[in-house]
Amino acid sequence: MKSNVTMKDIAKKLNVSSVTISKALNDKEGVSDELKEKIKDLADKMGYRYNTLAKSMKDGKSYNVCVIIPERYTGMTQSFYLKIYQSIAQILEEKGYYGIIHILPSDDEDNLKLPRIYHERRVDGFILLGQPKREYIELMQSIDMPLVFLDFYDENNNVDAVITDNFYGAYELTNYLIRQGHREIGYIGNLFSTSSIQDRFLGYYKSLLEHNIHLNQDYIISDRDERGVFIEFDLPKQLPSAFVCNCDQVAHLLIEKVRKSGYEVPKDCSVVGFDNDIYATLTTPNLTTVEVHIEEMAKNAVKFICEKMDDASATFGRVAVKGKIIYRDSVQKIK
Amino acid sequence: MKSNVTMKDIAKKLNVSSVTISKALNDKEGVSDELKEKIKDLADKMGYRYNTLAKSMKDGKSYNVCVIIPERYTGMTQSFYLKIYQSIAQILEEKGYYGIIHILPSDDEDNLKLPRIYHERRVDGFILLGQPKREYIELMQSIDMPLVFLDFYDENNNVDAVITDNFYGAYELTNYLIRQGHREIGYIGNLFSTSSIQDRFLGYYKSLLEHNIHLNQDYIISDRDERGVFIEFDLPKQLPSAFVCNCDQVAHLLIEKVRKSGYEVPKDCSVVGFDNDIYATLTTPNLTTVEVHIEEMAKNAVKFICEKMDDASATFGRVAVKGKIIYRDSVQKIK
DNA sequence: CTGAAAGCGCTTACAG
DNA sequence: CTGAAAGCGCTTACAG
């Protein structure tokens, strides 16, 4: 099992050149099938392991794609980031690349420090998973490497981004509430915190507009500050019959609050969330929410980054991947 | 910003050899300070990035350490794995290594398939984070690469493992309950599922023994099957005054169950958890539990793997890192 | 079908 | 203090 076996070692035993070994092991033209077989067998027997570092150097490619996740997201939506990373890594592997997670420390984000992997040329492209601050985005764009945004976008329109269709998801969810007879519908979320929250709000708003429902400002409630930290909020004096929450976690908090005020969910007040994360089934009642299509998002992100690594001029723009409404018990039909 | 600048390019501009560039950039002996400065400046100006792949090849080392996490853990204890990975990666970086996560698909675990990174010689050592099945452990041991177990161990005693001090943590927690006046104390957990659960049970048991409290088998309740999937369980006919749970998540489930039976926590029944994960503060009342010392565990694991990469014969055995009891509101003093 | 030569970007060991 | 030579393990382009 000792494994410093090289192609040369195999070549020597077979009295051929290492070029022939290379060809055989890579299933290239120019080696007789017989010899090819023999080489492969012997390679197995000798415990040969292909040294991709050598190939990397020859090609001038690392075959690594770095997935950058700003630190502050790693506590939050829990398994989402790990799950989507898993998907990404798996698809990358099929294409011969490695995925490498880099959790971006908040300090490095503030000091505009790029990951070491960049400075050491061990990466061919970046997937930015989760929105860092603007200056960091600009930095990432300035280094002129293949780059794809995942799960957020920037108003800057020369970037490629894969996002959940937040707008459409919230729109559909609100339509559903209205079909269930609701007319007084609130929205929970800081509209200026992230593009996701803003777009979800706009989807909600579009649904109201289409149904001729007035947008009541008292029903729009901020849940976090602009850095994304949750803040205390009050319920409106008069409770609407339903709330659209920008995420499941805040739906969870809202339901606790509503309950403490002496109301029941969904009897007195319906609630819908977004994300279908752990909070969706942790909350009583379980939340009606939107499930993000993780695999589809990963697949797109990988496709984009791979094509950009092959052809630096490739562009894709913004792609929104549709989610799926999961109906559970947090909405009550009213008349 | 174009970056195919090599040492040779810098050398040419300065009319020196690339050996000199290498020495200067690596702060080695044998270059005048003057020239060193000049080289560094020019390197910066030209946007030079060190190519570590070349060094890797020269050294015959990848400078990568792969952290393997069995897939089934990635859904579970949520942020724990990502957090400890973050710690690991950071400490590895200080030592000049890269951390690479490999989420081990259950299929690969069953089929005893090693990660591609191994076959392609892109890794110098493995940290196994979370317990895979025995055959996979044996496979990992057979390939003769530096290997450290993290957060679990195996009865096999020739392995190096870093774990939380489950035994001591549960022991202390139970002592605390007894100090609060409890004598009837149950334990929730399948004793045959993982070494952690078993050790926590034994710590609990030791505390009972030391206080001359009889172990009542009716109070030992299994919470999951042997593959770790949660199962339904019933409360004992007569409720003890307190429960030690093998983890916060099951403490959460237990409290719901107790409440549904018409009892209050902690008034009628005290509960303690383990892990201090998201469930600890999600549950009402917030849980008294043990916080795992993530950084200390990461630090040890990295220290071990690095020393083993330097010296294959180094061994460390099993190291248990003490956790810390977090006192919250789920325990009531009784007399 | 097979292989000698050159090169990927760096470093080490040696000579000057 | 400085550099020519050789080598890490592979592949490409070319010649036979």
Side-chain angles (χ1 to χ4, degrees), chain A residues 271-312:
Chain A
V271 173
V272 295
F274 211 110
D275 292 339
N276 194 33
D277 64 24
I278 183 176
Y279 287 97
T281 46
L282 232 143
T283 304
T284 324
N286 287 355
L287 299 175
T288 290
T289 185
V290 177
E291 181 176 70
V292 170
H293 199 328
I294 288 183
E295 272 157 59
E296 191 64 23
M297 290 180 73
K299 207 187 288 178
N300 274 289
V302 171
K303 192 176 145 232
F304 291 0
I305 199 70
C306 284
E307 297 197 15
K308 292 184 83 160
M309 290 188 299
D310 285 346
D311 169 11

Side-chain angles (χ1 to χ4, degrees), chain A residues 169-206:
Chain A
Y171 168 72
E172 284 280 280
L173 217 39
T174 312
N175 285 345
Y176 167 68
L177 285 173
I178 294 173
R179 283 202 303 278
Q180 300 303 304
H182 296 275
R183 308 287 298 177
E184 308 283 312
I185 305 174
Y187 181 83
I188 314 266
N190 180 345
L191 275 36
F192 306 100
S193 170
T194 70
S195 56
S196 304
I197 297 179
Q198 198 169 74
D199 292 352
R200 289 170 191 183
F201 166 74
L202 291 169
Y204 147 88
Y205 188 25
K206 177 180 171 65

Side-chain angles (χ1 to χ4, degrees), chain B residues 124-135:
Chain B
D124 301 335
F126 287 104
I127 294 175
L128 198 43
L129 172 53
Q131 183 159 18
K133 54 186 226 184
R134 164 188 301 271
E135 290 84 356

Side-chain angles (χ1 to χ4, degrees), chain B residues 65 67 84-99 125-127 146-150 161-162 294-310 316:
Chain B
V65 170
V67 177
I84 196 165
Y85 171 74
Q86 179 179 11
S87 244
I88 290 170
Q90 213 159 306
I91 304 169
L92 279 173
E93 179 150 343
E94 289 162 17
K95 310 207 176 200
Y97 285 90
Y98 285 102
F126 287 104
I127 294 175
L147 173 65
V148 170
F149 293 173
L150 182 52
V162 178
I294 289 184
E295 270 155 59
E296 191 63 22
M297 290 180 73
K299 206 187 290 177
N300 276 289
V302 170
K303 191 176 146 232
F304 291 1
I305 199 70
C306 284
E307 296 196 15
K308 292 185 83 160
M309 290 187 300
D310 284 346
F316 301 90

Side-chain angles (χ1 to χ4, degrees), chain A residues 62-70 85 88-89 92 97-104 114-119 121-130 136 140 143 145-150 301-302 305 309, chain B residues 85 93 98-100:
Chain A
S62 67
Y63 294 102
N64 288 154
V65 169
C66 180
V67 178
I68 299 184
I69 309 176
Y85 171 74
I88 290 171
L92 278 174
Y97 284 91
Y98 285 101
I100 297 190
I101 282 191
H102 178 73
I103 296 172
L104 176 65
L114 288 167
R116 183 169 65 114
I117 202 172
Y118 165 76
H119 289 109
R121 288 183 183 243
R122 284 191 173 233
V123 62
D124 301 335
F126 286 104
I127 294 175
L128 198 44
L129 173 53
Y136 205 85
M140 290 297 304
I143 58 173
M145 286 202 45
L147 173 65
V148 171
F149 293 173
L150 183 51
V302 171
I305 199 70
M309 290 188 299
Chain B
Y85 171 74
E93 179 150 343
Y98 285 102
I100 297 191

Side-chain angles (χ1 to χ4, degrees), chain B residues 10-270:
Chain B
I10 305 179
K12 223 172 280 170
K13 291 229 180 188
L14 252 32
N15 263 319
V16 296
S17 88
S18 58
V19 177
T20 304
I21 307 294
S22 170
K23 283 176 186 156
L25 259 25
N26 286 300
D27 270 326
K28 295 227 166 123
E29 299 268 286
V31 191
S32 68
D33 288 350
E34 245 183 314
L35 184 51
K36 210 179 260 186
E37 272 311 301
K38 221 157 85 183
I39 288 175
K40 284 187 180 172
D41 282 356
L42 183 59
D44 264 4
K45 236 167 268 157
M46 294 175 69
Y48 173 75
R49 287 185 295 148
Y50 190 100
N51 187 329
T52 39
L53 256 43
K55 178 170 171 48
S56 273
M57 237 199 41
K58 191 74 175 54
D59 298 352
K61 293 185 62 175
S62 67
Y63 293 102
N64 288 154
V65 170
C66 180
V67 177
I68 299 184
I69 309 176
E71 180 178 27
R72 90 186 91 99
Y73 293 104
T74 59
M76 274 181 40
T77 327
Q78 274 69 33
S79 51
F80 172 71
Y81 289 94
L82 203 50
K83 264 201 213 138
I84 196 165
Y85 171 74
Q86 179 179 11
S87 244
I88 290 170
Q90 213 159 306
I91 304 169
L92 279 173
E93 179 150 343
E94 289 162 17
K95 310 207 176 200
Y97 285 90
Y98 285 102
I100 297 191
I101 282 191
H102 178 72
I103 297 172
L104 176 65
S106 300
D107 276 359
D108 291 1
E109 186 178 343
D110 289 339
N111 301 325
L112 300 180
K113 203 174 142 201
L114 288 167
R116 184 169 63 114
I117 203 172
Y118 166 75
H119 289 110
E120 299 194 344
R121 287 182 184 244
R122 284 191 173 234
V123 62
D124 301 335
F126 287 104
I127 294 175
L128 198 43
L129 172 53
Q131 183 159 18
K133 54 186 226 184
R134 164 188 301 271
E135 290 84 356
Y136 205 85
I137 293 181
E138 284 166 2
L139 173 64
M140 290 298 305
Q141 293 179 307
S142 75
I143 58 175
D144 201 32
M145 287 201 47
L147 173 65
V148 170
F149 293 173
L150 182 52
D151 201 40
F152 77 98
Y153 66 90
D154 192 64
E155 66 255 49
N156 222 316
N157 46 10
N158 58 345
V159 300
D160 301 302
V162 178
I163 53 173
T164 284
D165 196 338
N166 294 301
F167 180 83
Y168 187 79
Y171 168 72
E172 283 282 280
L173 217 38
T174 312
N175 285 345
Y176 167 69
L177 285 173
I178 293 173
R179 282 202 303 278
Q180 301 303 303
H182 296 275
R183 308 287 299 179
E184 308 283 310
I185 304 174
Y187 181 83
I188 315 267
N190 180 343
L191 274 35
F192 306 101
S193 171
T194 71
S195 56
S196 305
I197 298 179
Q198 199 169 75
D199 292 353
R200 289 171 191 183
F201 165 76
L202 291 169
Y204 147 88
Y205 188 26
K206 176 179 171 66
S207 173
L208 295 191
L209 287 173
E210 285 193 355
H211 293 86
N212 265 310
I213 300 177
H214 173 68
L215 180 73
N216 184 340
Q217 287 296 343
D218 294 346
Y219 290 167
I220 313 300
I221 299 171
S222 179
D223 62 336
R224 63 189 77 193
D225 65 22
E226 263 153 58
R227 286 171 313 143
V229 181
F230 283 114
I231 57 174
E232 269 301 313
F233 59 85
D234 294 320
L235 296 176
K237 277 177 297 274
Q238 202 208 326
L239 210 61
S241 74
F243 278 106
V244 173
C245 296
N246 79 83
C247 69
D248 291 338
Q249 185 171 5
V250 87
H252 176 84
L253 293 173
L254 174 71
I255 286 176
E256 276 193 345
K257 214 175 271 280
V258 166
R259 199 165 280 145
K260 273 193 192 131
S261 309
Y263 298 100
E264 275 180 52
V265 176
K267 199 171 136 274
D268 305 316
C269 178
S270 294

Side-chain angles (χ1 to χ4, degrees), chain A residues 7 22 26 48 50:
Chain A
M7 288 192 179
S22 170
N26 286 299
Y48 173 74
Y50 190 100

